[in-house]
Amino acid sequence: MDDRPRYDRATAALDPPFAILDLDALRANAADLVRRAAGKPIRVATKSIRSRPVLERILAMDGFRGLMAFTLPEALWLVAEGFTDVLVAYPTADRQAIAALAADPRAVREITLTVDSAEHLDQLDHVLAAVRPRPEIRLCLDVDAGYVALGGKFRAGALRSPVREPEQAADLAAEIAKRPGFRLVGLLAYEAQIAGVGDAPPGNILLARAIRIMQARSARDLILRRGRVVNAVSRLCDLEFVNGGGTGSVERTVREKAVTEVAAGSGFFHPRLFDFYSGFTGRPAALFALPVVRRPAPGTVTVLGGGYVASGPAGPLRLPQPYLPAGLRYAPDEGAGEVQTPLLGEAAYDLRLCDRVWFRHAKAGELCERFATLHLIEGDTLVESVPTYRGEGRTFL
Ligand SMILES: Cc1ncc(COP(=O)(O)O)c(C=O)c1O
């Protein structure tokens, strides 16, 4: 059966707006990530899921180990809910959460914080100065995996860690070793310019070629540099893990000997922005339905809501994709609206009031900040309705 009739049938009793997760698609996407990881474990990026019961379902499948959280309050909550091995992959400046971590022995065992400078250590020391006895905080060192060329004039990749070269990483590892109350257990180096940049941008062959050249060069640089960084740091401590990559780079990242695990999140929901990669294809798993509430002109319908724009550099690709029925597009002057969204196209002639239009978000987890519930669909049946983070009153970012 086509997806639209089966989604309509599964959710016939619901009134949109609402969000669904197609479990058949989710499982197919998860299996493909595991295949691409070729035996290395995948740490699940929670920012791209943002639903506790869905995280539980994913971790119950083979091939996944541990979580990559996006804030410390989130990690504390997840550990309180029974999750283990949670890497907070972004530095924290939350004094209360740091104090709460130090006061909870289980959280201290299960949570690893990410640092990239002595300043981060100073800040943690400052908050923890009064804590007696002071627990040993698990740390992960974040290394810049960006691509730099032309003597620094060209740079691709996320602007994150100032630590780039093996000597810099070794210096910071030595500083961590010198200070009581910290244990360096992991390395993180996320190559956003490969993992998060599609190499098949729509309608732009020259850009696609340039991206592929950049990514191939960057991958070559990383094999050497990440390996050297890991060697330099391993002389000073026993690393439990070296994390790299993301959905867009899984098969490439796991080829590096120095990498022990890969991160992935977006690949489970397969949002719009992940359509533009030549190396893999996923099935759209997370969708939201909006109701037709007006028909302002022939060939035009207006749906309620829709302006769920994704983070990142603003542009048309950050808008949700009108997905089913196929062939609908935004009105250029209005885009995706705050309360109402007009949609144009052939398919609009057949839509009536109360019909649904199914959308895909441009990114994965941000959808869950708009909906309290994910309705889980199997075939043409709604099998369970589970809360998102927001549905549990948890909005971390
Ligand atoms: C540190 C880190 N690892 C991995 C990822 C990849 O996540 P995803 O698979 O959801 O694209 C990200 C995304 O920004 C990240 O920040």
Side-chain angles (χ1 to χ4, degrees):
M1 189 191 272
D2 285 347
D3 285 340
R4 185 178 170 217
R6 93 186 159 84
Y7 295 151
D8 280 342
R9 189 179 299 180
T11 60
L14 302 176
D15 284 311
F18 58 79
I20 65 162
L21 184 59
D22 179 342
L23 290 180
D24 302 318
L26 179 84
R27 280 192 284 261
N29 293 340
D32 198 47
L33 285 169
V34 171
R35 176 192 63 76
R36 294 169 61 207
K40 287 197 180 167
I42 298 175
R43 189 178 285 276
V44 181
T46 63
K47 74 179 181 64
S48 303
I49 307 292
R50 303 195 202 201
S51 165
R52 199 171 48 85
V54 176
L55 288 172
E56 279 165 4
R57 277 176 179 263
I58 290 172
L59 288 175
M61 296 186 242
D62 284 341
F64 303 101
R65 194 168 73 202
L67 294 177
M68 175 179 275
F70 54 105
T71 74
L72 179 53
E74 179 208 11
L76 290 167
W77 174 60
L78 290 172
V79 167
E81 293 291 335
F83 290 91
T84 56
D85 186 5
V86 184
L87 166 65
V88 183
Y90 315 85
T92 184
D94 187 328
R95 291 165 302 177
Q96 281 186 20
I98 295 166
L101 168 67
D104 180 347
R106 191 160 169 272
V108 166
R109 264 199 322 274
E110 301 298 340
I111 293 176
T112 304
L113 299 183
T114 291
V115 296
D116 65 30
S117 62
E119 211 179 339
H120 285 141
L121 304 178
D122 294 344
Q123 186 196 29
L124 290 168
D125 273 338
H126 183 71
V127 178
L128 298 174
V131 176
R132 295 278 182 282
R134 184 171 157 171
E136 200 170 56
I137 305 291
R138 293 165 55 82
L139 294 182
C140 170
L141 200 165
D142 191 356
V143 177
D144 175 31
Y147 178 60
V148 174
L150 304 175
K153 288 200 191 81
F154 176 85
R155 191 195 145 86
L159 286 167
R160 295 192 185 180
S161 175
V163 175
R164 185 172 170 84
E165 300 302 331
E167 309 75 49
Q168 294 173 299
D171 284 351
L172 186 52
E175 181 66 31
I176 293 170
K178 218 168 67 191
R179 298 197 192 197
F182 296 122
R183 187 151 61 95
L184 184 57
V185 298
L187 275 186
L188 164 67
Y190 171 55
E191 59 271 48
Q193 70 282 5
I194 302 176
V197 177
D199 63 350
N204 198 333
I205 293 168
L206 286 181
L207 179 62
R209 196 171 300 159
I211 290 173
R212 282 173 205 180
I213 292 169
M214 177 277 289
Q215 290 182 337
R217 290 186 183 171
S218 174
R220 276 203 296 277
D221 157 59
L222 271 174
I223 290 173
L224 293 177
R225 196 158 54 82
R226 201 152 31 192
R228 285 185 190 136
V229 167
V230 172
N231 281 341
V233 172
S234 296
R235 278 187 217 112
L236 300 160
C237 68
D238 290 329
L239 290 174
E240 292 173 17
F241 65 87
V242 176
N243 184 288
T247 291
S249 74
V250 173
E251 64 279 3
R252 215 167 200 166
T253 307
V254 295
R255 269 189 236 132
E256 284 182 40
K257 241 171 77 186
V259 172
T260 64
E261 60 172 44
V262 69
S266 304
F268 296 99
F269 288 2
H270 194 74
R272 171 76 169 144
L273 283 173
F274 283 81
D275 285 349
F276 310 122
Y277 290 78
S278 64
F280 65 97
T281 47
R283 279 175 59 184
L287 308 175
F288 59 94
L290 301 179
V292 174
V293 287
R294 304 170 190 262
R295 295 202 294 154
T300 308
V301 293
T302 300
V303 294
L304 187 71
Y308 315 148
V309 180
S311 60
L317 286 176
R318 302 273 152 178
L319 297 179
Q321 177 196 24
Y323 179 52
L324 297 171
L328 292 170
R329 62 183 189 278
Y330 292 112
D333 291 345
E334 298 199 46
E338 182 180 3
V339 176
Q340 302 193 105
T341 299
L343 295 167
L344 319 176
E346 275 298 305
Y349 285 95
D350 297 329
L351 289 169
R352 300 286 171 268
L353 291 194
C354 296
D355 282 352
R356 292 98 188 267
V357 177
W358 295 92
F359 288 77
R360 296 168 69 198
H361 202 279
K363 293 182 82 172
E366 291 177 26
L367 165 77
C368 292
E369 300 298 341
R370 292 291 187 162
F371 294 93
T373 304
L374 285 174
H375 300 288
L376 309 184
I377 308 289
E378 234 160 24
D380 61 355
T381 308
L382 193 163
V383 292
E384 198 183 343
S385 297
V386 300
T388 59
Y389 279 11
R390 176 183 165 171
E392 298 202 68
R394 307 281 168 170
T395 50
F396 299 107
L397 284 181

